Every structure is written in C-alpha cells, then in structure tokens.
C-alpha cells in the first residue's frame, strides 16, 4: 500500500461519508482487518469477504436493495474488491490539478486582501463578503475534487494535509458562516446575519486559514508544473476589470434552463420511483422520451453555464460535470453515457431495450445524480438572480473585484 494510495483512500472515504454517514465508519476498520493490499500493492480476496460481512451487519442488512447495491459499488470502487482492472478515466490530469490549485490560491489571496481591509469590531458588508466567500469556496472545493483524483502521490499527501487543516479551522469557519462537510468540502450558510467583521478578519486575514490554503495550493501547483506563486492586485471602484469577451451575460437564459433541468430531473426520478407496480413496468419507448429530454436539458444547462460572465456560475457548471463523471457507472446502468467533459448521451436502442425496472430504479429512484442536478440548478438560479451581489455594475460588467475585493492574476 503506497503513501499515495493511502492518501487517496482517506480522501475517498471522507467524501463518501456525505452519502452513507455512519455506515462508512466501518470501512476503515474493514480495510485494516481485510488487509487488501500486500506490500507490493497486490489485491487479495479479503476485501470482498469483508464486504459480505458488512452487508450482513446491523446497519446495512435491513436497508433496501438499491441502497445495498450502491453501497457495494462504492466499497468496490474504493478498495477495488473483486475487480482486477483499474479504470483511470476519472484520474485528474496534472494540468487540471495545476489550474484548480492556481484558482484556489488566487481566490485565497483575494479573500485575504478583502479580510485585511476590514477592521476588528467594524461593520461587515454581507453582500460583499458573501461574494468573496462563495468565490473562495467554489475554487477550494474544485481543488479538493481534482487533488482527490490525482495519481501523483505527493499531490495526494498535500491534499490530505489541506483537508485536515480545514478540520482544524472548522470552528473559525463556522463563526464566519462556512460549514466543513463530511466530504471535507466547504459550503456557505444561507444566513450570515450573525457573522461580523472580526470573525472574517480573524479567519481570512494574514496568518489565517487563507494563508494555509495559499501555502498548500502553491505546493500542489508547483508539483504539477506551475510556479506556485499567486498575486492579487487592488481594484479601485467597480467595473474596472471586465471579463473576457468569450463570456456573455446570459442570466435570462440560465434562469430558464435551471427551471427546465429541474423539471426534467424530477420527471426522471418520478418515472423511476413509479416502476415495479402491476400497471407500471419498464417500456423502452416511454423511458427514451423522458431520458432524452433530461439529457438534452442537462447538456444545454452545462454548456450555457460555461459561457456565463459570472465565474461562480461557470464553477457550478464545472462541478456538475464532475458529478456526472462520479456517477457515470450508475448512469451507464440506466443507458446514459458520460464523456470526459461531463456531457451526457443516450445509449442506442439495442442497449435501452435490454434495460429493466431494476436498472432504472437503481440509478434514479433514490435521487443520486438527479439530486445533484437539482442542487446545482438552485445554486445557479440564486447566482443569476442577484447580479449586484456578484460584483456587477450598472452595465452588467463583471468584475473580479466583487465591489470591494481584489483581482487575482495567477501565473501558473
């Protein structure tokens, strides 16, 4: 078992905690007892035996069949139990890790400058802070995703140190309105009314959490070919730095797409939940219609998000595409393919004709990827409905300054 494999294992198990909670507490123990790898990293059969024992445990034996099947797939994906092949399609490239670490480092520099400009005991502009914090959170979470899928053992080690640092700062983050999830990612609380300038300055000012992120992001960036140096330039006023002409103000279109993709994701989930009764069984023609509408809407949503002049909206689109890749095996079981960019496509009719009620219910009845789509659609809807809070001037010109922050220029 190499240090890199161990680091990836820790990250994967921590991220899996979000969905399966306490059931995953036994995974680390089962790994140690099962001794899946010998010192050369060769797999043995004990992990599979341990999975069978887990499925008979009190916490899992009474779960429904779909839950148990998904848990089994998750366990096998983490430990490789019963699988002698390794799929590397989800492994992050060095370039993607470099870009993600550069973004996180730059965002950390930006919020550090913002926090240093606050006064202890002073007033906090909640809208300005919300924009700064959300930008930092999106970039940080993206870095954690990319690092967790890296095949570079040194990068993985830095990732483990980074998420452990997040846990150390969890109390300070909570006071600043930020929650550290069981998957080690950050989320901004909806209610920031109790957050004050002292909380933000203490957390993100010099020698705080932002400096820790800058340090680790710099190390990760250097390990993947970057310079590891992030700079932030002060911006006076608003609207002094517009986004690239490659991006457009498509807020109206995004509002329509969020509503449509949520509606169609809900339709797929409802269809799956209704299967299995005497008068409702799988019919390829019925499923093809509802699945195709959802796939088309999802692709339009992701494509349009990538064009947005709001960096936070673009980040949500990237995160959703990453989620699609994470759920690709579940989606494939339902006849939906995922390419490396995170776009979806419906399988051919021969494949769809062979699907069963069980396949569709496994993939969609309990939510899974569909819930991720709904969550991201809600977040994007909120972002495109509050342009003033996201750093836009009267001419809808996007600024990286977010009114009071700083433009970061990353050389990586």
């Amino acid at each position: 078992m190499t240090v890199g494999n161990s680091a990836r294992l820790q990250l994967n198990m921590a991220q899996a905690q979000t969905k399966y909670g306490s059931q995953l507490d036994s995974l680390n123990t089962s790994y140690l007892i099962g001794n899946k790898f010998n010192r050369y990293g060769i797999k043995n059969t004990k992990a599979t035996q341990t999975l069978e024992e887990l499925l008979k445990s009190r916490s899992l034996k009474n779960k429904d069949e779909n839950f148990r099947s998904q848990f089994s797939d998750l366990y096998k994906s983490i430990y490789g139990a019963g699988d002698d092949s390794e799929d590397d399609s989800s492994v992050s490239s060095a370039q993607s890790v470099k870009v993600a670490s550069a973004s996180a480092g730059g965002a950390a520099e930006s919020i550090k400058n913002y926090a240093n400009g606050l006064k202890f005991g002073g007033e906090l502009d909640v809208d300005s802070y919300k924009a700064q914090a959300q930008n930092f959170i999106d970039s940080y979470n993206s870095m954690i995703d990319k690092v967790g899928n890296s095949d570079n053992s040194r990068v993985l080690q830095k990732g483990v140190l980074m998420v452990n640092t997040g846990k150390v700062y969890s109390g300070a983050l909570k006071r600043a309105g930020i929650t550290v999830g069981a998957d080690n990612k950050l989320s901004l609380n909806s209610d920031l009314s109790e957050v004050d300038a002292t909380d933000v300055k203490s957390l993100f000012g010099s020698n705080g959490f932002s400096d820790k992120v800058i340090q680790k992001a710099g190390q990760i960036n250097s390990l993947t070919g970057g310079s590891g140096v992030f700079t932030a330039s002060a911006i006076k006023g608003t609207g002094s730095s517009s986004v690239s002409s490659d991006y457009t103000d498509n807020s109206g279109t995004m509002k329509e797409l969020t509503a449509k993709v949520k509606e169609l994701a809900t339709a797929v989930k409802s269809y799956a939940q209704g299967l299995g009764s005497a008068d409702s069984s799988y019919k390829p023609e019925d499923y093809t219609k509802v699945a195709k509408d959802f796939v088309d809407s999802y692709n339009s949503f992701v494509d349009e998000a990538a064009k947005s002049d709001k960096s936070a909206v673009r980040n949500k689109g990237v995160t959703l595409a990453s989620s699609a890749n994470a759920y690709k095996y579940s989606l494939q079981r339902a006849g939906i393919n995922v390419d490396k960019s995170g776009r979806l496509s419906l399988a051919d009719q021969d494949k769809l004709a062979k699907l069963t009620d069980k396949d569709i219910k496994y993939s969609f009845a309990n939510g899974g990827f569909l819930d991720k789509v709904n969550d991201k659609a809600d977040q994007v809807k909120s972002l495109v409905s509050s342009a003033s809070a996201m750093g836009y001037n009267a001419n809808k010109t996007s600024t990286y300054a977010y009114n009071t922050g700083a433009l970061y220029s990353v050389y990586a």
Side-chain angles (χ1 to χ4, degrees):
M1 182 65 171
T2 66
V3 174
N5 285 335
S6 177
R8 187 186 296 178
L9 181 67
Q10 291 180 52
L11 283 169
N12 286 345
M13 286 194 299
Q15 290 167 352
Q17 283 281 356
T18 300
K19 183 169 184 180
Y20 293 98
S22 61
Q23 283 81 16
L24 267 293
D25 292 340
S26 55
L27 282 183
N28 190 44
T29 301
S30 70
Y31 165 74
L32 295 173
I33 295 174
N35 189 26
K36 184 177 81 79
F37 292 89
N38 65 19
R39 67 191 181 92
Y40 298 106
I42 304 300
K43 300 171 185 175
N44 62 33
T45 60
K46 290 186 178 179
T48 302
Q49 294 170 357
T50 305
L51 171 59
E52 293 172 356
E53 293 168 5
L54 276 173
L55 291 173
K56 296 176 184 177
S57 67
R58 182 187 307 174
S59 59
L60 291 175
K61 68 179 180 181
N62 293 324
K63 294 290 184 180
D64 65 63
E65 184 179 356
N66 284 333
F67 187 102
R68 286 163 57 82
S69 295
Q70 291 179 358
F71 182 90
S72 296
D73 287 351
L74 176 67
Y75 184 99
K76 291 174 183 177
S77 70
I78 292 177
Y79 296 128
D83 181 9
D84 293 327
S85 63
E86 181 177 354
D87 174 53
D88 63 355
S89 62
S90 63
V91 174
S92 300
S93 66
Q95 176 66 19
S96 67
V97 175
K98 182 174 74 171
V99 171
S101 60
S103 178
E109 286 280 8
S110 183
I111 200 168
K112 175 183 173 181
N113 284 3
Y114 169 79
N116 283 338
L118 299 174
K119 295 181 180 180
F120 286 112
E123 293 185 1
L124 178 70
D125 182 331
V126 175
D127 284 345
S128 296
Y129 171 60
K130 179 179 179 180
Q132 284 281 351
Q134 190 64 64
N135 181 60
F136 169 78
I137 288 168
D138 288 341
S139 298
Y140 177 93
N141 288 346
S142 179
M143 178 176 69
I144 296 301
D145 267 341
K146 295 300 182 184
V147 168
N149 287 320
S150 173
D151 59 359
N152 184 322
S153 63
R154 296 179 67 191
V155 168
L156 286 163
Q157 290 177 59
K158 299 301 181 185
V160 171
L161 292 174
M162 185 68 263
V163 297
N164 285 340
T165 300
K167 292 175 183 176
V168 171
Y169 276 86
S170 60
L173 285 162
K174 184 177 181 180
R175 289 191 293 275
I178 298 172
T179 299
V180 181
D183 59 348
N184 296 309
K185 292 185 180 180
L186 308 181
S187 60
L188 189 63
N189 298 344
S190 57
D191 183 6
L192 301 176
S193 60
E194 297 300 317
V195 178
D196 59 38
T198 299
D199 294 324
V200 177
K201 189 175 181 69
S202 299
L203 174 65
F204 288 117
S206 296
N207 300 315
F209 182 58
S210 55
D211 273 340
K212 301 296 184 184
V213 174
I214 291 166
Q215 179 190 42
K216 287 294 174 286
Q219 293 168 349
I220 291 168
N221 189 259
S222 295
L223 288 170
T224 50
S227 70
V229 178
F230 317 113
T231 60
S233 303
I235 298 295
K236 295 181 180 180
T238 61
S240 56
S241 178
S242 60
V243 299
S244 164
S245 58
D246 292 340
Y247 302 127
T248 59
D249 177 11
N250 56 0
S251 298
T253 301
M254 288 306 303
K255 286 180 182 178
E256 293 178 3
L257 287 175
T258 56
K260 186 174 182 180
V261 77
K262 278 175 61 68
E263 176 186 350
L264 293 172
T266 301
V268 173
K269 186 175 182 179
S270 298
Y271 173 84
Q273 290 174 335
L275 293 175
S277 62
D279 57 349
S280 181
S281 59
Y282 175 75
K283 294 182 179 62
E285 59 274 18
D286 293 341
Y287 174 66
T288 298
K289 177 64 169 65
V290 69
K292 185 179 186 306
D293 286 347
F294 167 69
V295 166
D296 290 345
S297 177
Y298 164 88
N299 288 337
S300 296
F301 179 83
V302 172
D303 290 346
E304 199 67 26
K307 302 175 186 177
S308 175
D309 56 0
K310 301 174 181 62
S311 61
V313 172
R314 298 196 300 274
N315 285 337
K316 297 301 180 186
V318 171
T319 302
L320 182 55
S322 296
S323 294
N325 274 303
Y327 280 88
K328 66 179 179 180
Y329 296 116
S330 175
L331 288 166
Q332 283 174 0
R333 183 165 174 177
I336 296 176
N337 299 316
V338 185
D339 66 21
K340 289 189 176 181
S341 68
R343 297 181 90 257
L344 308 181
S345 61
L346 204 59
D348 59 39
Q349 288 301 312
D350 289 341
K351 167 70 174 178
L352 296 178
K354 296 176 183 178
L355 299 182
T356 65
D357 290 0
K358 185 177 180 180
D359 293 322
I360 307 303
K361 291 181 77 68
Y362 171 89
S363 301
F364 298 131
N366 291 328
F369 178 64
L370 299 177
D371 288 346
K372 296 289 184 184
V373 172
N374 279 327
D375 288 345
K376 288 295 171 285
D378 284 337
Q379 292 166 7
V380 168
K381 181 180 179 181
S382 176
L383 289 169
V384 298
S385 298
S386 55
S388 62
M390 294 306 298
Y392 287 78
N393 63 17
N395 295 319
K396 300 279 187 177
T397 302
S398 172
T399 71
Y400 290 109
Y402 295 120
N403 296 325
T404 57
L407 172 69
Y408 58 83
S409 176
V410 182
Y411 302 96

